[in-house]
Every structure is written in C-alpha cells, then in structure tokens.
Amino acid sequence: MKTNEVLETIKARRSVRAYDRKQIPADDLNAILEAGAYAPSGMHYETWHFTAVCNTVKLEELNERIKGAFAKSDDKHLRERGHSETYCCYYHAPTLVIVSNEPKQWWAGMDCACAIENMFLAATSLGIASCWINQLGTTCDDPEVRAYLTSLGVPENHKVYGCVALGYKAEGTLLKEKTVKAGTDRKSTRLNSSHSARSRM
C-alpha cells in the first residue's frame, strides 16, 4: 500500500494517558498551535481560540473546578469522578490546550475538531504524546468552571469543544496497536468518485 511521511504520521498517532513531568519545549508548542491554525474552518472564519496552559498549579485548579461540576451531576459515574481524590481529567499532562469557539455557527465544533486533529498529528511528528480531553465540553458552562476559564484567557462568549493534552509518555507506558475495524469499505469512495466523473462528461 502506498505511503509517505504524512500517512505514516497519521498511522503512528496514539492516545496517551500517562505522562512524564517533563515540559515540552516552547517552540514545539508553538509549532503545534500553528498546525491547528492551518486547519480548515467553515467560511474561513477562523473564530476558534487556542488557550495553552503550561502551569501545573493552574491545571490542578482547573481539574478541581471540573470535579466540582461533576460532583453536582445527576450522572452517578460523573459524581464518582467528582468525589475522587485521584481523578485527573488531563492525565497529569504538563500542557493542556483548550480549544474553544463562538457557538453561534453550527459548524463551530467541527472547526475545532479539525484543529485538534492537526495538533495531534503535529505533536506526533515531533515525538510528543497527546490525547483528546473532552470534560470541559460538558462543564464549561458551570459558573465556577466558566469563571476560571475566563481567568485563563478563554473568551467569555466561547464554548469549549475539546482539549489537547500534550507531553512525553511516562516510562513503561505501552501503546496499543492501532487496527481498523473489519468491514470498512475502502473502495466505495473511489467508485463513487469515478461515477461522478463519468456523469460530468
């Protein structure tokens, strides 16, 4: 099967949930954020905002605010997380990028997802581990969480659609082999494309 550096980077990406304390270099973080900014966006509005938090104390406080929101949830599983002394939504990664957007456009979340995937791939290419963190997507409207997000620099009129944990995987962390589910039809797109091309002739 045909391959190149980009395709190999896509295949190499994994979600890492155990991190070393070592912080990633500032120039690597800037390169990852720039990759996010080069993602496609609806109408090319680029209304997203990337808030990189590299301060351990601030990340721990954010985690406590999220746990506080979970503790008030009607969902038993979330309440258990909220009352857990060991729960950390970002797996103690040294950097967390909060990806937010103006919610007025229906494609706002899609724009953020494209930017987040670009960041994952850029991180992988630089030897940096990453993971999608989604807890702020359901808690960013909680008053305590919202106030803290604003203090971190997240625009007040933005909704958080996802976060990117960044760091180096902890020593001894084993990564699962990525497999594509059986039954995926890789020919359908090519067949449809060929049919469309003939119909335009």
Side-chain angles (χ1 to χ4, degrees):
M1 183 173 291
K2 191 168 185 177
T3 190
N4 57 35
E5 187 175 354
V6 173
L7 293 173
E8 289 304 313
T9 298
I10 291 172
K11 293 176 183 178
R13 186 214 58 81
R14 297 289 184 278
S15 295
V16 174
R17 295 178 175 83
Y19 291 87
D20 188 273
R21 292 179 180 271
K22 180 182 176 183
Q23 184 58 270
I24 65 174
D27 56 345
D28 284 353
L29 174 58
N30 288 334
I32 291 168
L33 295 173
E34 183 180 36
Y38 270 86
S41 64
M43 304 296 291
H44 197 58
Y45 284 162
E46 297 184 0
T47 51
W48 49 39
H49 189 271
F50 310 147
T51 307
V53 185
C54 308
N55 182 291
T56 301
V57 174
K58 291 184 181 296
L59 286 173
E60 290 175 350
E61 176 62 24
L62 177 61
N63 188 61
E64 289 302 312
R65 301 281 181 122
I66 292 171
K67 286 170 60 177
F70 281 168
K72 296 179 284 186
S73 173
D74 293 330
D75 185 282
K76 178 182 177 181
H77 182 62
L78 292 181
R79 286 201 308 275
E80 289 176 352
R81 287 183 174 182
H83 293 292
S84 170
E85 294 184 3
T86 59
Y87 177 74
C88 180
C89 70
Y90 59 94
Y91 305 108
H92 300 287
T95 290
L96 185 71
V97 180
I98 302 169
V99 182
S100 62
N101 208 342
E102 299 175 358
K104 62 183 181 181
Q105 304 293 352
W106 60 266
W107 59 76
M110 300 176 191
D111 287 358
C112 288
C114 288
I116 287 172
E117 180 66 6
N118 268 22
M119 292 187 208
F120 287 155
L121 297 179
T124 300
S125 75
L126 295 169
I128 295 171
S130 62
C131 188
W132 184 299
I133 307 299
N134 60 22
Q135 287 80 351
L136 275 175
T138 57
T139 61
C140 66
D141 290 330
D142 177 87
E144 296 296 320
V145 176
R146 179 66 259 182
Y148 197 66
L149 288 174
T150 301
S151 75
L152 292 175
V154 179
E156 292 188 23
N157 65 327
H158 274 209
K159 173 180 171 58
V160 176
Y161 287 95
C163 300
V164 180
L166 295 169
Y168 297 102
K169 70 182 180 69
E171 185 177 353
T173 302
L174 299 178
L175 301 182
K176 293 182 179 180
E177 184 67 24
K178 179 73 174 181
T179 58
V180 178
K181 290 184 178 180
T184 301
D185 188 351
R186 297 182 179 86
K187 296 181 179 179
S188 61
T189 300
R190 292 199 299 271
L191 291 173
N192 288 339
S193 297
S194 298
H195 177 74
S196 297
R198 286 196 299 271
S199 68
R200 290 195 298 268
M201 294 175 66

